[in-house]
Amino acid sequence: CENLGTPEERVVASDLAGLVGREFAPLNVLVLVDAERAGGAARPALGPDAPDAAPRPWPVLGLPDQAFAQRRPQAGLITKLEVRAVSLARLALRPGDTVWDVGAGTGSVGIEAARLVPDGRVYAVERRAEDVARVRENAARFRADNLVAVLGEAPEALATLPDPDAVFVGGSGGRLREVLRAVAARLRRGGRLVCNLATLENLAEAESVLAELGWERDVVLVNVARSRALAAGARRLTRLSALEPVFVLAAWRPGEGMSHEA
């Protein structure tokens, strides 16, 4: 745990072998956890609402939003767990796949993809240096050693990456049309492109580009509401609080994919 209580605070979870040869800030604390006695691999705390229980191994899919290091003070700008799960399902990852996570943000989608294809490679592309540092922190936290964080703006930053088998576009920096065309030119045969889009205008632009390319596609609207507890005297009441809806657009070349209706 480095620089605790400062803007440069960073927490890295690893086994002891993973710490060998790494450099850390002079102001640090090392916490040792007996993973065998704790019931599994050590995991970071989930915040003030976390249950007081022994750590357990992280799930294969569905990492909690609050477990990721996020922007400060803009925490919450992350692909939510439910949207992540749908997006990864639509990517249809296969063993050994090379994956691009374009506009990675915190790296949540890329990290989950890396855990699903441990024998593959994930490239998380982000244009902000502070976000790239956060992606690397989260990758270390979840031991996603097969994820490579790439600093640069798409589509130019994609030029030096190996051709992908699957591409997730979570952000485009206002260059959605250029990014989609660059991805379409590089995606390997049988590959899948998945975009998360928050507005009707971006959905229409993405549909337009893919139509021009002659690609097949479908759209899922993920509209999620999470339960929230309300204090009402002696009673415990529950209401539902809606998250921002997200369009999950999946696309593939004609004859190379399968829609969710098949």
Side-chain angles (χ1 to χ4, degrees):
C1 307
E2 304 173 78
N3 298 319
L4 294 178
T6 75
E8 291 76 37
E9 178 177 312
R10 186 170 75 122
V11 177
V12 174
S14 172
D15 57 17
L16 289 177
L19 299 178
V20 176
R22 300 181 62 174
E23 294 186 1
F24 297 93
L27 183 61
N28 72 75
V29 177
L30 176 63
V31 180
L32 296 179
V33 177
D34 187 330
E36 182 176 349
R37 293 183 60 187
R43 60 191 287 178
L46 302 186
D49 298 325
D52 184 13
R56 295 175 299 166
W58 288 111
V60 174
L61 181 65
L63 298 172
D65 297 346
Q66 65 269 33
F68 289 92
Q70 301 177 41
R71 292 181 189 172
R72 297 181 181 181
Q74 299 172 299
L77 296 178
I78 182 176
T79 302
K80 302 299 190 291
L81 186 157
E82 297 85 355
V83 178
R84 241 182 290 139
V86 173
S87 299
L88 288 163
R90 302 302 291 135
L91 276 174
L93 299 177
R94 297 160 296 187
D97 271 356
T98 296
V99 184
W100 291 355
D101 178 7
V102 182
T106 62
S108 62
V109 173
I111 287 167
E112 295 239 31
R115 290 163 58 83
L116 291 172
V117 288
D119 53 346
R121 182 74 70 178
V122 177
Y123 295 88
V125 180
E126 178 52 55
R127 60 180 177 159
R128 299 181 181 87
E130 61 271 24
D131 285 338
V132 169
R134 200 167 289 110
V135 169
R136 289 176 177 148
E137 176 183 352
N138 283 322
R141 177 175 298 192
F142 296 109
R143 302 184 184 182
D145 298 328
N146 56 331
L147 182 142
V148 178
V150 178
L151 175 61
E153 184 166 355
E156 290 81 6
L158 308 176
T160 59
L161 303 183
D163 289 346
D165 300 290
V167 178
F168 173 77
V169 178
S172 62
R175 304 175 68 186
L176 182 59
R177 181 173 293 272
E178 297 172 66
V179 169
L180 292 181
R181 286 192 169 277
V183 168
R186 299 281 305 281
L187 189 66
R188 289 174 178 160
R189 292 188 59 83
R192 185 70 64 93
L193 162 66
V194 172
C195 302
N196 279 183
L197 305 157
T199 68
L200 291 168
E201 289 78 10
N202 280 346
L203 174 62
E205 183 174 11
E207 284 272 10
S208 173
V209 174
L210 294 168
E212 292 169 6
L213 294 171
W215 281 38
E216 298 182 44
R217 58 209 180 274
D218 62 33
V219 179
V220 175
L221 174 61
V222 181
N223 210 336
V224 175
R226 292 177 175 175
S227 63
R228 295 287 184 270
L230 294 177
R235 299 181 61 195
R236 183 186 184 279
L237 302 179
T238 304
R239 69 178 177 86
L240 292 176
S241 180
L243 304 181
E244 293 290 337
V246 176
F247 298 103
V248 179
L249 170 64
W252 55 92
R253 294 185 184 87
E256 293 187 5
M258 180 184 300
S259 79
H260 59 82
E261 296 178 350

